[in-house]
Amino acid sequence: MTPATGDPPLLSIVVPCYNEEATIDIFVATITPLLDAIDPAWEIVFINDGSRDDTLKVLRAAAAAEPRVRAIDLSRNYGKEVALSAGLDHAWGRAVIPMDVDLQDPPELIAPMVREWRAGFDVVLAQRADRSSDTALKRGTAKLFYRLIGRLSDTPIPADVGDYRLMDAKVVAALRAYPERMRFMKGIFAHVGFRTTSVDFVRPLRSAGETKFNGRKMFNLALEGIVSFSTAPLKIWTYVGLAAALGAVVFLLYVIIRTLITGIDVPGYASLISVILLFNGLILTGLGVQGEYIARIFAEVKGRPLYLIRERIGTGASVSPPAPARLSRPGD
Ligand code: UDP
Ligand code: MG
């Protein structure tokens, strides 16, 4: 659907914000001259992801001061993946760039990205040349995650690439057609394909404020990534079960033969209890893994809206955005 009035801007910058009152003004002030130098036809779409601080107030002021800045106020905190999806649904530029508001995605990279896009690429990834701004723990777990998902998933997910990238409007339209509720954006981004290239950068430290991701959130994101993009954890239990059954047959034969030769032998509590405990553990793990998938099937089947919007802020907000395909279902 094309918006009611006007031509689409050349660039849409999509920025999810959660408790970012300290960083928004720095972001707008830094990025505006850089965008103007490329083309004055740009828009910034902020998504307020249910912030509990004065983020909304700061966004209102930013939108009032600059007509090319607008904001989507979500009804609560949905998490970065959903906030990003909301932003992509409402960005109507000919190229769209999701960015973090803390300037950890260096805006100087936009110009080289646009250059690659104009050279004919549909997706330009910002690839982190090194991760020295991360803690050793984050580096280590990230490496482990990419190695794991690389082996388990049929969709190759590029390592050291965040959400920062330029996407042509047709790629964004393809993304809108992904109906899933459980959203692992790195995976969905990789899944759409298209002609892709990358530019390198070194990730700086946050401009202000602090990270919104703790160990638990990162673990859940990694789990989401693996379960959304691989069924290997579900299938492995067939092999675990077969191997265990084979081992059990061998052990059974051994016990029968030994009983025939040496007579009945009652002691054996230790071996019995360890086998029982081991297999109970395996069975529960297998059930748990199935539970992870069933929970996701349940979430998809309910078909709830991905997010709810409380308010659209800014003059550009009167322009009707593209209808998100995932909210309309056959028969509606
Ligand atoms: N963010 C969000 N919703 C959340 C958590 C984070 O929209 O629930 C936004 C946050 O405001 C920032 C971006 O996601 O613009 C990245 O967050 P952060 O800088 O805390 O992550 P890190 O860079 O430490 O991985
Ligand atoms: Mg950050």
Side-chain angles (χ1 to χ4, degrees):
M1 191 172 91
T2 42
T5 49
D7 290 330
L10 185 76
L11 291 179
S12 292
I13 312 292
V14 171
V15 196
C17 302
Y18 177 55
N19 297 344
E20 298 283 6
E21 58 181 11
T23 48
I24 290 163
D25 288 339
I26 312 175
F27 179 82
V28 175
T30 314
I31 200 169
T32 303
L34 290 167
L35 290 175
D36 276 335
I38 298 168
D39 192 313
W42 51 261
E43 62 167 359
I44 301 178
V45 184
F46 285 106
I47 302 92
N48 178 29
D49 186 17
S51 301
R52 275 184 288 257
D53 64 358
D54 278 338
T55 295
L56 185 61
K57 221 162 99 186
V58 178
L59 288 179
R60 268 188 219 288
E66 167 58 74
R68 291 171 290 184
V69 171
R70 53 198 181 92
I72 307 288
D73 185 30
L74 298 184
S75 62
R76 62 173 169 85
N77 179 248
Y78 287 89
K80 186 186 172 187
E81 309 293 300
V82 170
L84 196 56
S85 305
L88 294 178
D89 286 345
H90 292 86
W92 63 297
R94 288 196 275 132
V96 178
I97 306 179
M99 285 178 84
D100 288 359
V101 69
D102 55 13
L103 292 179
Q104 282 194 291
D105 298 334
E108 305 77 50
L109 230 56
I110 296 176
M113 282 175 158
V114 169
R115 219 171 297 135
E116 295 288 341
W117 172 51
R118 285 180 166 148
F121 287 100
D122 299 318
V123 178
V124 188
L125 306 173
Q127 188 135 29
R128 298 167 68 170
D130 80 294
R131 299 182 67 117
S132 50
S133 64
D134 284 340
T135 60
L137 181 71
K138 191 156 177 177
R139 276 204 298 272
T141 48
K143 200 167 157 190
L144 188 74
F145 169 74
Y146 284 113
R147 194 178 296 166
L148 196 65
I149 200 150
R151 304 199 70 166
L152 294 182
S153 173
D154 295 335
T155 307
I157 296 181
D160 298 329
V161 169
D163 299 324
Y164 189 27
R165 63 191 57 213
L166 179 148
M167 291 176 286
D168 187 84
K170 63 173 176 273
V171 179
V172 180
L175 287 172
R176 287 191 196 112
Y178 276 63
E180 55 234 72
R181 264 80 196 156
M182 311 305 293
R183 299 186 80 77
F184 178 65
M185 290 312 287
K186 281 190 201 17
I188 298 176
F189 282 151
H191 198 259
V192 292
F194 290 91
R195 291 192 57 190
T196 304
T197 185
S198 59
V199 291
D200 281 354
F201 77 108
V202 178
R203 198 166 200 235
L205 295 171
R206 240 177 184 279
S207 64
E210 50 193 40
T211 175
K212 308 295 178 297
F213 286 89
N214 53 27
R216 185 177 55 85
K217 269 196 181 176
M218 289 309 289
F219 180 81
N220 284 335
L221 189 65
L223 187 69
E224 191 61 60
I226 289 168
V227 178
S228 298
F229 280 87
S230 167
T231 48
L234 207 52
K235 291 175 182 158
I236 196 172
W237 295 98
T238 314
Y239 302 99
V240 173
L242 280 176
L246 198 71
V249 169
V250 171
F251 186 66
L252 195 75
L253 289 176
Y254 163 75
V255 170
I256 291 174
I257 291 166
R258 206 184 61 170
T259 312
L260 288 177
I261 295 169
T262 64
I264 294 171
D265 163 28
V266 173
Y269 174 76
S271 59
L272 208 57
I273 199 75
S274 26
V275 169
I276 290 174
L277 288 179
L278 173 71
F279 280 88
N280 277 328
L282 286 178
I283 290 166
L284 287 177
T285 312
L287 276 177
V289 170
Q290 294 196 2
E292 290 288 341
Y293 284 88
I294 293 171
R296 281 165 180 78
I297 297 170
F298 186 48
E300 301 295 343
V301 164
K302 278 188 288 191
R304 291 185 179 161
L306 193 55
Y307 54 83
L308 296 173
I309 294 173
R310 193 159 49 192
E311 198 189 335
R312 293 156 203 255
I313 298 148
T315 47
S318 58
V319 175
S320 61
R326 71 177 68 89
L327 295 183
S328 53
R329 320 170 90 210
D332 274 1

